[in-house]
Amino acid sequence: MKKYLLLLLITQAFTMNAFAEQKKQNNAHNEAEDLAPEPTSNTTITSYQWAKEAHSSRKSRRHNPPPSVSSLMIAHTSPVTVMSTVITTPIFWGSSWANSTLASDKIIGLSYWYSNLNSSHYKSTVSEYTNLIHSSIAPLFVNSATSVSSSNPSNVLTQVCTAVGSANVKSNGYYPVYTDLPRGTANYCAYHSAGTCGRTQIQFAFFFNLNNDPGCDPASPYAPVAGAANAQNPGLVAGGSSAYQQSQGLAALVNVSAHELMETVTDPGIGGIWGGWYDSTGAENGDKCAWTFGPSNTGLSSGTVLIGGFDWKLQGEWSNTAQINQTGYLTTGSLKGCVTGS
Ligand SMILES: [Zn+2]
């Protein structure tokens, strides 16, 4: 799960090459993803370009033992570093975003999801850690002539700084970068990270193009069969027929977007330290409930979460309180620490 943690120990001078090597190693050991070392408290980040974790794909999860879900998450600094007021700016990187076949409903759908998150029950999954106030602004686009070179965090950070402008980035900003790069042999669907534009520290995330990628697909009942592209109709779904309201690619991106945002909020990279909430194995709130789906809060199928009057299939987030009180939904064994805010 923490495939990039080795990077934390690498000096800045060797970041690029070391990352490439680490990535290669991880790809070569796709079925042993959890070999990455466990983090120690207050892990020091010596580079300004790093990634906290890579959200594993379903495929690699199937080949690995489940992450430790038995332990509660721990605050790694005092006071714990979490984000409260967060402003999200989605960024779309890749020449294909000019192509309506790829773009389909994704740009509208992701923007809509982010803009409605703050009023959702799902936001309450982090309320025991932070009083989150989330807002979002219009998406930005990287120059369509700039093709996506790689998922390397330093490359992604460079695109964020360029698209937003180093003078305009926000220290409470979160910049999820959606690319047209297929996952290929990578054993993760997305990751979140942190870095610096100019003198401003920011949080960002990276997402592959998840079209027709079963390894990163929540199999949402609200998405049509893979490959089809149906227009989204936000607002028409609540309480009514929800089938075929979003494309498969959008549904897959929103599912992992929820995971990365909630992890960023509860465990941001601040001051060169990951000082937020994660358990003794390094698993953050999203990791501990990855690819598990709770009961619907709309009376519909498993995993259904209502946001902005629209149904999404979203994996859960870990709640220490729910585990202690046994009020979350049942996952591994008798654990009930995963919640969706329903
Ligand atoms: Zn994660």
Side-chain angles (χ1 to χ4, degrees):
M1 296 292 286
K2 303 288 182 179
K3 67 174 300 200
Y4 294 112
L5 282 171
L6 278 177
L7 182 62
L8 310 186
L9 306 175
I10 297 165
T11 60
Q12 179 178 333
F14 296 98
T15 293
M16 299 281 287
N17 289 337
F19 179 87
E21 181 59 26
Q22 173 64 13
K23 184 166 184 286
K24 201 185 320 178
Q25 289 175 2
N26 275 297
N27 285 342
H29 297 282
N30 192 36
E31 297 184 6
E33 184 188 5
D34 289 331
L35 287 177
E38 297 179 1
T40 55
S41 180
N42 295 355
T43 303
T44 299
I45 298 160
T46 55
S47 167
Y48 64 89
Q49 296 156 344
W50 73 93
K52 175 61 175 174
E53 59 94 38
H55 175 193
S56 64
S57 67
R58 293 173 70 109
K59 180 180 178 184
S60 56
R61 281 295 302 278
R62 285 195 208 104
H63 289 284
N64 282 290
S68 171
V69 290
S70 59
S71 60
L72 298 179
M73 295 201 301
I74 303 162
H76 283 78
T77 50
S78 180
V80 63
T81 51
V82 295
M83 300 180 79
S84 52
T85 302
V86 177
I87 303 174
T88 293
T89 306
I91 295 175
F92 294 88
W93 177 22
S95 55
S96 302
W97 289 110
N99 181 324
S100 60
T101 301
L102 176 86
S104 177
D105 53 356
K106 290 179 188 169
I107 297 170
I108 293 173
L110 286 162
S111 301
Y112 184 82
W113 185 83
Y114 281 115
S115 66
N116 285 280
L117 176 71
N118 196 61
S119 58
S120 73
H121 290 288
Y122 196 83
K123 189 185 80 166
S124 70
T125 61
V126 297
S127 61
E128 70 193 76
Y129 313 110
T130 179
N131 181 25
L132 176 63
I133 301 172
H134 179 267
S135 62
S136 62
I137 59 179
L140 295 174
F141 295 84
V142 174
N143 184 340
S144 63
T146 307
S147 59
V148 179
S149 50
S150 83
S151 59
N152 184 316
S154 63
N155 291 343
V156 177
L157 176 62
T158 297
Q159 297 304 325
V160 171
C161 299
T162 302
V164 182
S166 292
N168 298 321
V169 293
K170 298 174 175 61
S171 59
N172 61 345
Y174 170 63
Y175 301 92
V177 178
Y178 297 94
T179 72
D180 55 3
L181 199 64
R183 183 166 62 96
T185 57
N187 57 3
Y188 58 95
C189 313
Y191 64 77
H192 76 94
S193 185
T196 304
C197 296
R199 294 181 177 180
T200 306
Q201 184 173 261
I202 63 162
Q203 310 299 317
F204 67 96
F206 170 87
F207 299 84
F208 285 113
N209 171 15
L210 303 182
N211 279 14
N212 306 321
D213 184 346
C216 296
D217 190 353
S220 169
Y222 313 117
V225 293
N230 289 27
Q232 175 175 281
N233 262 321
L236 294 182
V237 182
S241 172
S242 300
Y244 309 116
Q245 295 285 325
Q246 56 196 249
S247 70
Q248 174 273 331
L250 171 63
L253 284 175
V254 170
N255 176 52
V256 290
S257 293
H259 175 116
E260 302 302 340
L261 173 59
M262 293 314 187
E263 290 185 339
T264 299
V265 168
T266 54
D267 187 27
I270 301 289
I273 289 175
W274 299 107
W277 291 90
Y278 48 93
D279 74 11
S280 58
T281 72
E284 298 169 307
N285 62 336
D287 300 325
K288 291 169 74 64
C289 301
W291 302 109
T292 71
F293 299 91
S296 164
N297 64 1
T298 62
L300 299 174
S301 64
S302 173
T304 301
V305 176
L306 182 66
I307 295 181
F310 195 62
D311 288 321
W312 310 92
K313 184 175 182 181
L314 303 182
Q315 53 193 304
E317 306 290 341
W318 180 263
S319 162
N320 280 349
T321 302
Q323 172 59 20
I324 292 168
N325 297 332
Q326 292 285 287
T327 53
Y329 62 86
L330 185 64
T331 54
T332 305
S334 60
L335 294 171
K336 290 187 174 179
C338 294
V339 296
T340 58
S342 59

